[in-house]
Amino acid sequence: AGPVESKNEAAMSELVPEPRQKPVVPMKPMGINANLLGYIGIDTIIEQMRKKTMKTGFDFNIMVVGQSGLGKSTLVNTLFKSQVSRKSSGWNREEKIPKTVEIKAIGHVIEEGGVKMKLTVIDTPGFGDQINNENCWEPIEKYINEQYEKFLKEEVNIARKKRIPDTRVHCCLYFISPTGHSLRPLDLEFMKHLSKVVNIIPVIAKADTMTLEEKTEFKQRVRKELEVNGIEFYPQKEFDEDLEDKTENDKIRESMPFAVVGSDKEYQVNGKRVLGRKTPWGIIEVENLTHCEFALLRDFVIRTHLQDLKEVTHNIHYETYRAKRLNDNGGLPPMTVETEENHESNL
Amino acid sequence: QNVGYRTLSLSGHVGFGSLPDQLVKKSIKQGFCFNILCIGETGSGKSALINSLFNTNFDDPVSTHFLPSVRLRAQTYELQESNVLLKLTVVNTVGFGDQINRENSYQPIVDYIDAQFEAYLQEELKITRSLFSYHDTRIHVCIYFISPTGHSLKTLDLLTMKSLDSKVNIIPVIGKADGISKTELQNFKNKIMSELVSNGVQMYQFPTDDETVSEINTIMNGHLPFAVVGSTKEVKIGNKTVRARQYPWGIVQVENENHCDFTKLREMLLCTNMEDLREQTHARHYELYRRCRLEEMGFRDIAPENKPVSLQEAYEAKRHELYLELQRKEEEMRQQFVQRVKEKEAILKEAEQQIQTRFEHHMLMHQEVKLKLEKKKKVLEDEIAMFIEKKANAELLRSQASVSTPVVSLKRDKDHK
C-alpha cells in the first residue's frame, strides 16, 4: 500500500491546484455624488457606443407560425419591405404542404441608414395543417432550444469567438385565424408551451375579412382567453422595468393582438403609391391605420422594441434555458459509478 | 460570416435604422461603469490628476510614506453629465514604492486586478446569474505615473508594467511634469518609449481602425507618455479662474496645451476612447484571464486525440475524478475506523476476562469463609445446647434440694455417689 498511497497523494495535488490566496477586494463605499464643475465629455460615450454598434451590425431572427394560407410570408415581406420570405427565395408555389412541421430558416443582409442588419426569417410550414395536429409545436420548441444550446456551447468554450453568432429566435409571430369567434385549441396549446421559451407576438391574420366592430370584439375575446389561460405574450408584464416602460407597454398590450393585412403590391391612391390589396369595393391600404393595424405592428416590432426583443431573449429566455440546463447536469446520462461496498460493522 | 446570406435592397423605409438609438436608450437607462487604476509612488500626483480630470474635488486623504506594504484603495463615485450616468471607480495604490524592499510591490496590484476578473468569471459561471445588472469592477485603464527624473524609467516601473501589460490597458504618464523643461521633456519621452519597446512592454494603443478617429488617435499615440500636471487649486488669470499651479516665476495652467499634455489625456481617455477601453478590457484581457483560469482548473476545448470536448464533459470527468478520490478517502477512513474498533474491542475483552477471574476468585473465597463460619456456628450451637442442658440440670438439682428431706437428699446423695 505504501507506493500506491504516495502516488495518489501526488496525483491529488495535481487535481486540485493550491487554492489561490484570495486577496482582499477593497470594499466599495457608497457612491459619492460628485458634482462636476464644468463640461468634461463623459456624455460622448453615447456617440462612441453608437459608432461601435453600427460597425458591428445587428442580428435579428424572426419566426412566423401559423396555418398555411394565413399570409405569413406576405406579411414578413411587407414588414421588411423586401422579399425576405421563404417563398421568395426559390420556393415553388406548387410545393405540397409537408407531412410534418418543418423548420426553414433563410438569412438576408439588409441595410438602412448605415445600419446593417442580418435578418433571418424562420418559417414553419406544416404547422396546424395535418389532420391530427397533436404535438405539432414540438419541432418548433426543439428548434428554439437548439439555438439556445448552440449559443451556450459557444459561450462555455475556453477560447471564445469575439462575437458569438446569434441564431436564437428573438421574436415569434403567431398568426391567428380571423374566425371572429375565439382562439382555437391549437392556438392555446402552442402559445401555452412556447410563451415560456420565446417572445410570442400574436397577430390576427387577413384582418380584411372583419368589420371594425367584429375586430374589436374578437380582440377582446382573444385577450381574455389568453389571460384566462395564463399566456403571457410579448411585452410580458413581469419584465416591465419601470413606470415609463409599464405605461408604454400597457398601451401596446391593450391594443394587441394587432389585426393586420399584408401586401407587396402597390397601387395609386390619392396620388400616392401605397401598398395595398385591391378589391371591387375599394383598396385596402396596408399602412393606413384606419384600415388595419399593420403600421402599429411594424412600429412596435421594428422601430421601438427591436432591441428590447433581443434583450429579453438574451437576458431572460436564454438565461432560463441555461440555468435549467446546468441544473439538469447537462442532460447527460448519469455516469455509472462503482457502488460502495457495504462494510458491516464488527460491533 | 455572411456566407449563405443574400443581400437585399429595401423598397421603402422600414425603420430599423433606429436600432442604435434603441440600444443607446437602453444603455443610458442602465448607466455606464468606468474603472481607473492609478499606480504611482506616493506624491507622484495621482489624486491631483484625477481631481483635474473630472473637474471635481474627490475627497482623497493624503497618505504617508511609511506604510509597510502596498494597499489598494478603491472609491466609487456617481457622476452625471446631461443624461449620462457614470459610475466611476478610482483605485489608488497606497504606499507604492515607499518600502525599502520593494520586491513585492506589484503583487498586490496584480492580485487586485485578477480578483476583479475572478469575481466577474464567478458570476458568469453561476447557474442563476444576472450579468446585465452586474456592477462591473474590472479595471478598464491603468494610468501609470512615471517619476519626472528626466533620465529613464526605474527598474520598479519596468517590472510593474511588465507584470500588468497582459492584464490591463496601460497608459503611461509623467506626473508632476512641471519640473521638466521642454527640451528635456522630449528626450525623456523618447528614452521612456524606447525602453518600453526594448523591454517588450505592451502599452495601450489608441485604436486607428475607425476613420473618424484614426487620425487624431495616431497623433496622440505619438505623444505618449503624456506629461501631465494636476492641480486642486484654482488661480485667477486675467478674468478667468483656471486650475493652475502658481510659482514665483510664473503660473502653470493645467488646461493649457503649451504647458502640459493634460487636455490630450482627458480627450483620449474620456471623449474618444472610453468605450474602446471598456471593450478591450472585456474582449481581450478578460478573455485571456478566463482562458488561463479555466485551463488551470483542468478544462480543455480539445481532448488529447484532437476531439472537441464540451465543457460539460470536462465537468463530468473532473467531477468523476474527484468523486473517486472522495470514495478512496472514505474507504481509507473506514478502514482506520474498523481497525480502531477492533483494537478497542480486544482491550475490552481482556478487561472483561480479568474481571471475570477476579470475580470467581472472590466467590471462592466467599465460599470458604462461609463454610468456616458455619462450622464455628455449629460448634457454638453445640456448646450452647450443652450449656442449657447443664443449666437445666443445675436448676433441677437446686429445686429438689430445697424441697426434699435429708433422706431424700441422702438418697440423692447415695444416688449421686
Side-chain angles (χ1 to χ4, degrees):
Chain A
V4 176
E5 207 78 68
S6 59
K7 200 164 56 158
N8 274 345
E9 217 94 86
M12 220 187 74
S13 61
E14 270 160 32
L15 282 178
V16 181
E18 197 102 70
R20 281 166 158 224
Q21 202 83 38
K22 256 208 168 121
V24 175
V25 174
M27 255 253 294
K28 275 172 287 296
M30 291 307 291
I32 304 169
N33 267 333
N35 290 316
L36 301 171
L37 321 161
Y39 178 74
I40 296 179
I42 298 176
D43 57 358
T44 54
I45 193 171
I46 296 181
E47 260 319 297
Q48 297 175 33
M49 186 179 258
R50 192 200 300 266
K51 268 197 278 190
K52 244 194 216 300
T53 47
M54 288 202 28
K55 226 172 88 171
T56 41
F58 297 86
D59 286 344
F60 191 65
N61 309 316
I62 185 168
M63 180 187 262
V64 285
V65 182
Q67 290 173 292
S68 67
L70 281 180
K72 304 190 292 289
S73 307
T74 318
L75 184 70
V76 166
N77 284 352
T78 322
L79 262 178
F80 291 99
K81 293 261 171 65
S82 62
Q83 304 294 308
V84 292
S85 72
R86 159 183 70 98
K87 300 199 175 178
S88 324
S89 47
W91 179 80
N92 186 357
R93 253 175 205 271
E94 303 303 319
E95 216 173 83
K96 289 210 186 70
I97 294 173
K99 291 252 163 61
T100 55
V101 179
E102 291 176 355
I103 313 278
K104 292 214 167 97
I106 307 190
H108 318 271
V109 173
I110 44 181
E111 187 179 328
E112 188 179 71
V115 178
K116 252 205 199 107
M117 175 145 87
K118 218 194 280 185
L119 173 73
T120 307
V121 177
I122 303 144
D123 205 346
T124 54
F127 178 83
D129 290 330
Q130 323 307 330
I131 291 178
N132 182 358
N133 285 312
E134 263 179 16
N135 300 334
C136 66
W137 57 83
E138 272 175 14
I140 300 176
E141 194 173 350
K142 184 158 158 269
Y143 176 83
I144 293 176
N145 283 334
E146 273 169 8
Q147 308 317 304
Y148 289 145
E149 182 67 25
K150 242 195 248 175
F151 195 87
L152 180 64
K153 273 212 162 72
E154 289 286 343
E155 200 187 26
V156 297
N157 266 341
I158 309 283
R160 301 199 278 207
K161 296 202 178 103
K162 194 142 191 216
R163 202 171 149 235
I164 302 177
D166 192 357
T167 54
R168 302 170 293 185
V169 179
H170 300 126
C171 168
C172 172
L173 290 182
Y174 187 78
F175 286 70
I176 300 171
S177 232
T179 58
H181 295 294
S182 66
L183 287 173
R184 292 204 175 118
L186 180 61
D187 301 333
L188 284 171
E189 278 306 303
F190 177 86
M191 286 197 269
K192 231 193 263 188
H193 280 99
L194 281 258
S195 61
K196 300 194 186 75
V197 295
V198 72
N199 297 321
I200 295 193
I201 298 182
V203 295
I204 301 173
K206 296 204 165 169
D208 49 341
T209 55
M210 290 194 284
T211 64
L212 276 175
E213 294 113 34
E214 287 167 353
K215 243 190 272 189
T216 331
E217 274 176 29
F218 185 43
K219 288 209 302 186
Q220 259 179 352
R221 261 197 299 267
V222 166
R223 269 203 306 276
K224 189 90 190 286
E225 282 198 317
L226 291 174
E227 196 182 321
V228 160
N229 281 281
I231 297 171
E232 276 244 50
F233 53 84
Y234 179 87
Q236 298 93 335
K237 279 205 195 89
E238 49 179 336
F239 305 141
D240 284 341
E241 284 172 18
D242 53 28
L243 194 59
E244 197 189 319
D245 273 354
K246 188 164 152 25
T247 14
E248 192 188 337
N249 289 342
D250 272 345
K251 255 200 292 187
I252 295 173
R253 283 188 282 260
E254 282 303 299
S255 43
M256 278 175 80
F258 295 121
V260 296
V261 174
S263 166
D264 40 16
K265 295 201 174 52
E266 285 189 338
Y267 296 96
Q268 194 91 347
V269 172
N270 292 340
K272 283 203 305 177
R273 289 202 63 79
V274 291
L275 283 172
R277 287 175 63 75
K278 190 162 183 194
T279 67
W281 45 91
I283 296 182
I284 307 165
E285 295 164 52
V286 165
E287 283 173 313
N288 186 332
L289 275 172
T290 52
H291 290 197
C292 80
E293 294 172 332
F294 169 81
L296 286 180
L297 176 70
R298 178 204 54 209
D299 287 348
F300 169 53
V301 172
I302 299 179
R303 296 187 188 171
T304 53
H305 285 70
L306 195 66
Q307 182 61 25
D308 189 58
L309 280 162
K310 290 176 48 153
E311 289 198 2
V312 172
T313 308
H314 178 68
N315 292 332
I316 297 174
H317 295 302
Y318 169 70
E319 287 295 321
T320 312
Y321 175 82
R322 178 181 172 276
K324 186 162 172 296
R325 189 89 166 83
L326 295 182
N327 262 327
D328 287 346
N329 195 20
L332 292 171
M335 302 279 293
T336 47
V337 277
E338 300 131 27
T339 50
E340 300 174 4
E341 297 166 23
N342 275 325
H343 282 278
E344 294 289 356
S345 164
N346 283 341
L347 284 174
Chain B
Q1 241 185 350
N2 290 346
V3 168
Y5 283 74
R6 314 182 298 158
T7 312
L8 296 175
S9 50
L10 306 174
S11 62
H13 180 66
V14 174
F16 61 85
S18 67
L19 250 180
D21 290 317
Q22 293 180 33
L23 182 69
V24 158
K25 192 167 137 207
K26 276 218 181 279
S27 304
I28 291 179
K29 236 200 217 175
Q30 282 178 327
F32 299 89
C33 259
F34 196 58
N35 308 319
I36 304 179
L37 169 67
C38 289
I39 305 180
E41 299 184 16
T42 313
S44 51
K46 302 187 288 289
S47 312
L49 182 69
I50 296 292
N51 281 348
S52 310
L53 262 179
F54 292 99
N55 239 343
T56 5
N57 282 323
F58 299 123
D59 232 349
D60 253 349
V62 181
S63 2
T64 82
H65 283 281
F66 292 93
L67 294 165
S69 63
V70 178
R71 270 182 23 240
L72 287 107
R73 190 173 57 214
Q75 275 167 306
T76 311
Y77 311 97
E78 285 189 2
L79 307 174
Q80 181 152 19
E81 197 168 72
S82 50
N83 56 350
V84 173
L85 189 69
L86 181 73
K87 246 203 191 106
L88 174 75
T89 303
V90 179
V91 185
N92 266 313
T93 52
V94 180
F96 185 76
D98 276 335
Q99 295 78 30
I100 293 177
N101 181 356
R102 301 181 293 190
E103 275 178 359
N104 286 326
S105 287
Y106 63 84
Q107 196 55 47
I109 304 175
V110 172
D111 291 343
Y112 180 83
I113 294 177
D114 279 347
Q116 309 317 306
F117 282 147
E118 184 68 25
Y120 189 88
L121 181 64
Q122 289 303 323
E123 181 67 27
E124 201 186 22
L125 290 177
K126 270 198 203 152
I127 293 187
T128 318
R129 56 189 191 181
S130 45
L131 276 177
F132 53 86
S133 58
Y134 179 77
H135 175 59
D136 192 0
T137 53
R138 299 173 295 182
I139 301 294
H140 298 125
V141 68
C142 165
I143 303 183
Y144 193 92
F145 285 74
I146 299 169
S147 288
T149 57
H151 297 301
S152 62
L153 283 174
K154 299 188 185 163
T155 327
L156 179 62
D157 296 337
L158 278 172
L159 208 60
T160 311
M161 281 199 267
K162 196 90 179 85
S163 65
L164 294 175
D165 67 354
S166 59
K167 289 187 185 286
V168 73
N169 302 316
I170 302 184
I171 297 183
V173 299
I174 303 170
K176 293 195 171 173
D178 47 352
I180 314 180
S181 72
K182 269 241 157 107
T183 36
E184 291 172 344
L185 187 63
Q186 197 47 50
N187 284 339
F188 189 33
K189 280 193 187 184
N190 293 340
K191 191 85 203 299
I192 292 175
M193 287 315 275
S194 69
E195 279 198 325
L196 289 175
V197 164
S198 62
N199 278 284
V201 178
Q202 298 231 19
M203 298 282 110
Y204 173 73
Q205 293 292 309
F206 301 120
T208 49
D209 47 359
D210 184 353
E211 322 79 45
T212 43
V213 291
S214 72
E215 201 186 310
I216 181 136
N217 275 348
T218 328
I219 297 176
M220 290 299 176
N221 276 333
H223 280 289
L224 285 171
F226 293 130
V228 293
V229 176
S231 171
T232 47
K233 295 200 170 49
E234 296 185 337
V235 175
K236 200 160 154 68
I237 301 179
N239 53 356
K240 282 206 303 184
T241 322
V242 293
R243 280 183 183 268
R245 291 178 61 73
Q246 187 157 43
Y247 292 106
W249 48 88
I251 303 176
V252 180
Q253 294 159 43
V254 167
E255 295 185 21
N256 186 330
E257 288 242 12
N258 290 327
H259 290 195
C260 74
D261 296 332
F262 172 80
T263 38
K264 294 195 183 74
L265 175 67
R266 179 155 74 186
E267 167 99 22
M268 285 293 101
L269 197 63
L270 302 176
C271 305
T272 319
N273 299 302
M274 184 154 52
E275 185 57 29
D276 186 68
L277 284 163
R278 279 153 44 105
E279 190 178 309
Q280 291 289 327
T281 307
H282 179 70
R284 202 148 61 92
H285 300 298
Y286 169 71
E287 285 295 315
L288 182 65
Y289 175 83
R290 177 180 173 274
R291 188 163 57 230
C292 293
R293 188 88 174 90
L294 290 179
E295 280 175 0
E296 200 182 285
M297 291 202 277
F299 295 111
R300 295 274 180 276
D301 269 341
I302 311 284
E305 297 92 40
N306 241 23
K307 286 194 299 203
V309 174
S310 79
L311 198 66
Q312 282 135 354
E313 287 175 15
Y315 264 129
E316 276 300 307
K318 195 53 167 304
R319 189 198 293 188
H320 188 58
E321 268 178 60
L322 292 175
Y323 182 71
L324 287 179
E325 190 51 41
L326 180 75
Q327 278 202 300
R328 188 192 73 87
K329 274 198 135 161
E330 236 185 276
E331 194 49 46
E332 217 177 282
M333 280 174 59
R334 183 165 288 165
Q335 296 285 36
Q336 280 185 359
F337 179 69
V338 166
Q339 185 69 13
R340 275 202 271 172
V341 164
K342 271 200 192 135
E343 283 170 13
K344 246 313 168 7
E345 264 189 339
I347 293 174
L348 284 175
K349 242 201 180 103
E350 209 184 295
E352 208 184 316
Q353 247 350 50
Q354 282 184 356
I355 292 177
Q356 187 70 11
T357 4
R358 280 226 295 256
F359 176 69
E360 282 171 3
H361 179 69
H362 280 149
M363 282 292 282
L364 252 137
M365 296 256 294
H366 173 77
Q367 287 288 78
E368 278 174 22
V369 169
K370 191 168 172 190
L371 264 158
K372 266 199 206 140
L373 285 174
E374 296 249 312
K375 271 197 197 138
K376 266 204 188 143
K377 188 173 170 189
K378 187 93 201 310
V379 163
L380 281 173
E381 276 180 359
D382 284 346
E383 280 183 11
I384 289 173
M386 263 190 356
F387 179 72
I388 289 177
E389 206 183 308
K390 267 197 192 150
K391 185 175 170 191
N393 283 345
E395 292 277 327
L396 194 66
L397 269 170
R398 208 179 300 140
S399 64
Q400 277 185 348
S402 59
V403 167
S404 63
T405 55
V407 179
V408 175
S409 63
L410 271 167
K411 224 199 196 157
R412 236 150 122 254
D413 273 321
K414 233 204 228 167
D415 282 359
H416 196 74
K417 273 185 191 158

